[in-house]
């Protein structure tokens, strides 16, 4: 593939990458709550994302698509309740509690859908309705969906920003930073974790519901690797926007998801001679990207230290 063909192919793939990046960025906001705010290794995400997709896909043919997405978010919250109960009441470690819930949700998702996958082709969804509405104003195709996704993501970031500025939100943030101090001040750290897990998985379930309606199907495997993608998005966003205020950090989680999708799109479009990325290697590529994202803070600090040493010598 020559350079012109590569640029053309990559440019054509960008709208889809942006759309997927924003949708999965909503999931990254949920991961941000547990990973960065609560300091809780919650692996429920893989199951609650698929649960949201399953609930949304099954209900979209029976009720209003918007209500289907809301119920998908509520289903994700229930998954967070289970993980919170296992961790705070049964004293199971956070990592294991998340794994247990994730495993259980595989069977739950099968029962919800009644089969391994549900197709939404030729069915009205949130996105088809918005696309049809915007087409009357000469906004065609995927750009209509992207506008809706950006509005939803911005609205959720505003809600999170104001919530974590309240007394309850500050208590949740402090629980992740210093639980001993919060206990000494009389706050219930178990309750704070409970609320954080419910909020987090509610966002993840919402993202799963939106992704299912956007891609036109829900699948039992759609949540596999979700936590890895979420962590990559959060870390990329934190490296770029971590020094700013909370609002920009939340925005950074969505931006990190978009950057991640653009990188993946770039790699898939990249063909040099006989070299090309096999779709079967996408999980390997994802692992490499996550490892690189995890290494960024270390490399950034190393660069700063080396630069400071050189300046001191001069």
């Amino acid at each position: 593939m020559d350079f012109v063909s590569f640029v053309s192919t990559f440019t054509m793939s960008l709208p889809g990458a942006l759309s997927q990046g924003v949708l999965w960025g909503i999931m990254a906001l949920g991961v941000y709550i547990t990973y960065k705010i609560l300091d809780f290794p919650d692996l429920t995400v893989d199951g609650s994302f698929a649960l949201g997709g399953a609930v949304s896909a099954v209900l979209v043919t029976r009720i209003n698509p918007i209500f289907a997405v809301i119920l998908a978010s509520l289903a994700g919250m229930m998954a967070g309740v289970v993980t919170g109960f296992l961790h705070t009441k049964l004293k199971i470690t956070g990592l294991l509690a998340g794994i247990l819930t994730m495993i259980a949700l595989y069977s739950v998702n099968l029962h919800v859908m009644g089969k391994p996958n549900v197709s939404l082709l030729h069915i009205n969804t949130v996105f088809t309705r918005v696309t049809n509405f915007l087409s009357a104003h000469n906004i065609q195709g995927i750009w209509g969906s992207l506008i809706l996704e950006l509005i939803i993501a911005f609205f959720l970031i505003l809600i999170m920003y104001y919530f974590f500025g309240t007394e309850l939100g500050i208590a949740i943030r402090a629980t992740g930073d210093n639980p001993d101090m919060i206990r000494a001040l009389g706050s219930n750290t178990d309750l704070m974790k409970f609320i954080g897990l419910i909020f987090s998985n509610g966002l993840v379930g919402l993202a799963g519901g939106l992704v299912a309606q956007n891609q036109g199907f829900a699948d039992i495997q759609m949540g596999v690797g979700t936590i890895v993608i979420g962590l990559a998005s959060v870390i990329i966003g934190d490296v770029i926007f971590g020094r700013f205020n909370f609002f920009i950090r939340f925005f950074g989680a969505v931006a990190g998801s978009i950057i991640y999708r653009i990188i993946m799109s770039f790699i898939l479009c990249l063909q040099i001679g006989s070299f090309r990325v096999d779709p079967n290697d996408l999980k390997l590529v994802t692992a490499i990207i996550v490892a690189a994202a995890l290494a960024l803070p270390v490399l950034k600090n190393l660069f700063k230290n080396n630069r400071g040493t050189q300046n001191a010598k001069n």
Side-chain angles (χ1 to χ4, degrees):
M1 176 184 288
D2 58 32
F3 180 74
V4 175
S5 298
F6 166 73
V7 171
S8 175
T9 304
F10 179 62
T11 303
M12 290 175 62
S13 71
L14 274 180
L18 291 172
S19 178
Q20 287 295 305
V22 175
L23 280 181
W24 286 76
I26 295 172
M27 178 274 299
L29 288 173
V31 174
Y32 187 94
I33 293 174
T34 52
Y35 181 73
K36 296 295 292 184
I37 295 178
L38 275 180
D39 193 23
F40 187 95
D42 183 26
L43 296 186
T44 313
V45 172
D46 282 20
S48 56
F49 184 84
L51 176 63
V55 170
S56 178
V58 169
L59 294 180
V60 74
T61 59
R62 304 176 186 179
I63 61 175
N64 187 289
I66 297 175
F67 291 145
V69 171
I70 294 173
L71 290 175
S73 180
L74 292 175
M77 290 181 178
M78 292 305 299
V81 168
V82 173
T83 300
F85 178 80
L86 292 175
H87 175 62
T88 61
K89 301 302 179 183
L90 301 185
K91 304 304 177 184
I92 298 174
T93 59
L95 185 63
L96 185 55
I99 291 173
L100 290 173
T101 307
M102 176 185 66
I103 293 172
L105 284 175
Y106 187 90
S107 296
V108 171
N109 293 338
L110 279 174
H111 283 293
V112 170
M113 293 190 291
K115 50 187 174 181
N117 54 72
V118 174
S119 175
L120 298 180
L121 292 178
H122 310 300
I123 293 175
N124 260 340
T125 65
V126 172
F127 296 97
T128 57
R129 291 188 177 192
V130 170
T131 301
N132 292 337
F133 172 78
L134 292 177
S135 63
H137 298 79
N138 298 320
I139 301 176
Q140 301 291 332
I142 198 169
W143 296 111
S145 298
L146 183 58
I147 290 171
L148 173 63
E149 294 159 11
L150 288 171
I151 292 172
I152 294 172
F154 182 74
F155 180 68
L156 290 172
I157 289 172
L158 279 179
I159 291 175
M160 290 178 64
Y161 177 68
Y162 284 109
F163 173 75
F164 283 104
T166 64
E167 185 175 340
L168 177 60
I170 292 172
I172 293 174
R173 289 162 55 185
T175 298
D177 289 335
N178 194 336
D180 293 332
M181 181 191 72
I182 290 300
R183 290 192 199 97
L185 293 174
S187 293
N188 188 333
T189 55
D190 284 350
L191 179 60
M192 297 303 105
K193 290 179 181 180
F194 227 114
I195 295 172
L197 286 166
I198 291 171
F199 195 178
S200 169
N201 284 282
L203 286 170
V204 174
L206 173 65
L210 289 170
V211 168
Q213 292 195 27
N214 179 259
Q215 66 188 10
F217 69 92
D219 185 86
I220 192 64
Q221 298 290 341
M222 67 181 290
V224 175
T226 298
I227 184 62
V228 177
I229 297 171
L231 286 175
S233 303
V234 168
I235 294 165
I236 291 171
D238 191 57
V239 169
I240 299 173
F241 301 99
R243 64 183 179 276
F244 296 103
N245 64 27
F246 239 53
F247 181 84
I248 302 300
R249 291 181 189 178
F250 290 143
F251 169 79
V254 178
S257 175
I258 294 172
I259 293 169
Y260 170 83
R261 287 292 166 182
I262 291 175
I263 293 172
M264 292 298 292
S265 180
F266 178 86
I267 292 171
L268 286 174
C269 294
L270 185 62
Q271 299 180 27
I272 303 175
S274 59
F275 171 79
R276 64 175 300 173
V277 176
D278 190 324
N280 293 328
D281 295 331
L282 279 180
K283 294 297 182 184
L284 175 61
V285 173
T286 299
I288 293 172
I289 292 174
V290 173
L294 286 167
L296 280 177
V298 178
L299 296 175
K300 186 178 178 181
N301 291 332
L302 184 63
F303 175 76
K304 283 184 178 179
N305 292 335
N306 288 338
R307 189 174 180 181
T309 303
Q310 290 178 355
N311 290 336
K313 288 181 179 179
N314 294 333

